[in-house]
Amino acid sequence: MVVLAASIVVKSGKVLVSRQYVDMSRIRIEGLLAAFPKLVGMGKQHTYIETENVRYVYQPIESLFLLLVTTKQSNILEDLATLTLLSKLVPEYSMSLDEEGISRASFELIFAFDEVISLGHKESVTVAQVKQYCEMESHEEKLHKLVMQSKINDTKDVMKRKANEIDKSKIEKNKPGYSSISSMGSGRLESSFSELGISSGGGGGGFGSGSGFGMISDVDPINTKPKDRSRSSVTAPPKSSGMKLGKSGKNQLMESLKAEGEDIIEDVKPTGQSKAAAPPPTDPFTLTVEEKLNVILRRDGGISSFDMQGTLSLQILNQEDGFVQVQIATGENPEILFKTHPNINRDMFNNENILGLKRPDQPFPTGQGGDGVGLLRWRMQKADESMVPLTINCWPSVSGNETYVSLEYEASSIFDLTNVIISVPLPALREAPSVRQCDGEWRYDPRNSVLEWSILLIDNSNRSGSMEFVVPPVDSSVFFPISVQFAATSTYSGLKVTGMIPLRGGGGAAPRFVQRTQLIAQSYQVI
């Protein structure tokens, strides 16, 4: 049984959902689906229609057709069983069996169809299993949501508590004479009075009703101005414990103001370290040499594919400097093929290694944005293993209930590589793998189940390195493909800009320019 496509079409012929399970062009599938309504209307109603090349197995669903396009050699009984299962899944995901309902649930239907059919063959599943697979319930996701909800609830509680504190502080502030002072403990008042030389002991030692109010009135001139009190508590330490009445109030006031969104500037000290904006480029000419690598290496050694593409671009700062030519020097690599821009004089490049416009009276385009104007392209598609910047060896071995994996890299002496990241896919793990040894740094990404091995710089001091880790027993194919990222400041072409040749205003100093060279791994894998 080989199912070419599973589709839902309107009886008029409009296609709502179509999922292909073999490699076929869009034109072909559109032609097959467009021919189906005409074949249905030609004769009697059947559950299948055969043509010279394919077989249509279909089932009407109200105003729609659920359709399977299969090969003529396919087992029609299995096709009918598949069609029956799909017809049960469609109402499960579409609220209404019409054009609008199917269009809204199109992606859910495609996911469900993929669970039933794999590479054109029916999977042994039920409707309940398909729904379970599509829901993709995860215990870790539920736990994460519970933790996030708990944090949200805690934050709301803190907000309510802060709001209550702000309301209380406003109420206390609006009371005349700050009556909160009289409500404080007698022990604290007594300690304050004792430091002021006033005795509070004895049966009638002057702490009666009249004398008590007299003492408070003596203290009031210090505390009747809340602004002065807060200022003194911030700028100078208190002289005695009696002056500490405003200390806790100051901290609470600061927190209340911060909670209300006020900017507290008295504690902010100017540092003078504010970062200025990056200045615009000052060099009249900026030339960028960039090479991108697309390499696939085999795990048992050798190169499966190698493709290097390079570009030379020019960025000119000022409009009046556009009348120039670029003098370059290329390496002696015979495998590299150069191709100039259509507006560049190719004969001049081939004979003198000078890049100039075919019409010297026209300037190069200018501007500070983008990557500049492309002048030259080159490509290299042949290389032996010695010219590959980095090779990776992976040796998994199962021992008991564990799989020991040894990784090793070997770098070519041609390039010094920077920011190297080797990403190894792992099976789904509850915890991070046990790393026994690592030359560099490592990080485990549990979401993508990938182990990343990072080396900041690979030069002559560390042309080779290794890493060892342990995971539960799995098949060795799980650890492939291994993806690699890196960059280098040298290139395969060895192209260098030797000078700029002005076409106008000659006789002065040679124009100043800057060259940027980079080799990056655009797609670098070990399969």
Side-chain angles (χ1 to χ4, degrees), residues 340 345-354:
T340 59
N345 190 331
R346 185 167 182 82
D347 294 334
M348 184 188 300
F349 168 71
N350 292 333
N351 298 327
E352 305 177 30
N353 277 349
I354 295 178

Side-chain angles (χ1 to χ4, degrees), residues 455-527:
I455 305 99
L456 186 61
L457 173 65
I458 297 180
D459 54 12
N460 291 329
S461 63
N462 58 345
R463 291 295 178 188
S464 62
S466 61
M467 177 183 186
E468 296 180 1
F469 61 91
V470 180
V471 295
V474 291
D475 186 72
S476 61
S477 61
V478 173
F479 305 105
F480 296 93
I482 300 174
S483 300
V484 185
Q485 301 175 18
F486 60 81
T489 56
S490 55
T491 59
Y492 281 95
S493 63
L495 189 144
K496 294 182 180 180
V497 178
T498 58
M500 306 293 296
I501 304 174
L503 300 181
R504 294 187 178 181
R512 186 161 44 93
F513 67 93
V514 61
Q515 177 179 345
R516 299 171 182 171
T517 304
Q518 186 180 30
L519 170 71
I520 59 174
Q522 187 175 36
S523 176
Y524 202 99
Q525 290 185 333
V526 182
I527 61 173

Side-chain angles (χ1 to χ4, degrees), residues 157-438:
D157 294 339
V158 173
M159 292 172 60
K160 291 180 181 178
R161 188 163 60 250
K162 291 293 183 182
N164 292 334
E165 292 178 359
I166 294 171
D167 293 339
K168 289 180 181 180
S169 65
K170 288 181 179 179
I171 294 174
E172 295 295 335
K173 187 176 179 180
N174 293 331
K175 286 185 178 181
Y178 282 85
S179 60
S180 61
I181 298 177
S182 62
S183 65
M184 300 179 65
S186 60
R188 187 169 181 180
L189 281 175
E190 288 174 0
S191 64
S192 300
F193 294 152
S194 63
E195 291 181 4
L196 292 173
I198 301 174
S199 174
S200 60
F207 200 56
S209 59
S211 62
F213 283 107
M215 291 176 191
I216 295 178
S217 64
D218 292 337
V219 180
D220 279 340
I222 303 175
N223 297 328
T224 50
K225 296 181 180 181
K227 294 183 179 179
D228 295 339
R229 181 189 62 183
S230 63
R231 184 180 302 169
S232 63
S233 63
V234 172
T235 58
K239 296 181 180 179
S240 65
S241 61
M243 298 295 292
K244 295 180 181 178
L245 295 175
K247 185 175 182 181
S248 62
K250 178 255 180 184
N251 294 333
Q252 183 177 1
L253 180 61
M254 295 299 175
E255 294 178 359
S256 302
L257 292 174
K258 291 178 181 179
E260 290 180 349
E262 297 291 339
D263 293 329
I264 309 302
I265 61 173
E266 58 183 352
D267 292 334
V268 179
K269 299 180 180 179
T271 60
Q273 296 179 357
S274 58
K275 193 172 183 180
T282 57
D283 295 294
F285 304 97
T286 302
L287 295 108
T288 303
V289 178
E290 184 180 56
E291 292 184 354
K292 297 180 179 180
L293 273 180
N294 292 274
V295 179
I296 298 178
L297 304 176
R298 290 190 292 267
R299 68 184 74 175
D300 55 353
I303 301 176
S304 179
S305 66
F306 181 95
D307 184 24
M308 182 276 293
Q309 297 183 15
T311 57
L312 171 63
S313 57
L314 170 64
Q315 187 175 4
I316 302 176
L317 187 62
N318 301 318
Q319 179 73 33
E320 59 272 12
D321 296 333
F323 297 92
V324 293
Q325 293 176 344
V326 182
Q327 178 75 56
I328 65 172
T330 60
E332 300 298 332
N333 193 335
E335 300 294 340
I336 296 180
L337 301 177
F338 291 95
K339 185 176 182 181
T340 59
H341 189 277
N343 293 334
I344 298 295
N345 190 331
R346 185 167 182 82
D347 294 334
M348 184 188 300
F349 168 71
N350 292 333
N351 298 327
E352 305 177 30
N353 277 349
I354 295 178
L355 295 171
L357 294 175
K358 293 180 179 179
R359 297 182 58 182
D361 57 333
Q362 290 184 349
F364 282 105
T366 60
Q368 298 183 12
D371 297 330
V373 182
L375 304 180
L376 187 66
R377 291 181 182 179
W378 59 93
R379 192 169 188 177
M380 174 180 172
Q381 293 182 300
K382 293 182 180 180
D384 54 20
E385 197 168 359
S386 63
M387 298 185 65
V388 174
L390 195 67
T391 57
I392 307 296
N393 296 320
C394 180
W395 300 90
S397 60
V398 179
S399 177
N401 293 327
E402 294 180 330
T403 299
Y404 294 84
V405 182
S406 297
L407 278 177
E408 182 183 22
Y409 75 80
E410 293 184 4
S412 172
S413 59
I414 305 175
F415 303 100
D416 290 344
L417 307 180
T418 60
N419 300 324
V420 181
I421 300 177
I422 303 172
S423 302
V424 184
L426 299 180
L429 302 176
R430 294 183 179 271
E431 299 178 354
S434 176
V435 178
R436 304 293 178 85
Q437 185 267 335
C438 179

